[in-house]
Amino acid sequence: MTTTCPSGQHAHHDVYAAQCPCRALLDLLANKWSALAIGALEDGPQRFGELQRKLQGVSPKVLTQTLRRLEDFGILDRTVYPAVPLHVEYSLTPLGQSAAAPLNHLRNWVEDNIDQAYRPEPIAS
């Protein structure tokens, strides 16, 4: 599907075109940790530690990078509260909330269908 670019930077958006800037957003949203972080924030703002506990297996470095990219794209807000120690919360923006709905459907689909998915046998060494 192609649409006219409202910024006027190019004629239209097309995720299949190699140079289309929307590919960067698609790449971000298709990333496992991004999809999980957005899902974790659907119920409201959370602190870094809460997110890290909920997203089992993510390293602090990868979570920090993911949250920064989501913030750069306007998917989430980072709010710093002046307190000792510093209190930082992450929350979805309206754009992030609109991305959360289809990602929620994808996560649910994965959970509902994982048992039917083809998984090749491990290669014996």
Side-chain angles (χ1 to χ4, degrees):
M1 179 176 143
T2 62
T3 58
T4 303
C5 177
S7 69
Q9 293 177 342
H10 46 273
H12 63 277
H13 294 301
D14 179 0
V15 294
Y16 296 102
Q19 299 304 316
C20 186
C22 56
R23 276 213 183 165
L25 181 56
L26 178 63
D27 179 57
L28 175 64
L29 294 176
N31 175 276
K32 165 181 64 176
W33 296 119
S34 294
L36 293 173
I38 291 169
L41 291 168
E42 282 182 297
D43 293 331
Q46 293 195 33
R47 296 176 73 171
F48 185 90
E50 294 171 308
L51 287 169
Q52 189 174 15
R53 282 187 294 279
K54 187 158 188 159
L55 279 61
Q56 297 176 15
V58 68
S59 70
K61 177 183 176 182
V62 169
L63 182 56
T64 298
Q65 291 171 339
T66 301
L67 295 173
R68 284 181 183 160
R69 286 191 68 208
L70 289 167
E71 184 181 13
D72 290 345
F73 274 87
I75 303 296
L76 63 80
D77 281 327
R78 179 180 183 268
T79 305
V80 179
Y81 296 95
V84 178
L86 202 58
H87 179 102
V88 179
E89 282 187 346
Y90 298 90
S91 60
L92 293 176
T93 63
L95 182 63
Q97 291 170 351
S98 71
L103 290 172
N104 183 303
H105 290 296
L106 179 60
R107 288 189 309 273
N108 288 334
W109 182 91
V110 168
E111 289 174 349
D112 292 344
N113 292 282
I114 186 61
D115 293 331
Q116 298 174 50
Y118 171 73
R119 292 183 302 249
E121 294 293 322
I123 299 172
S125 50

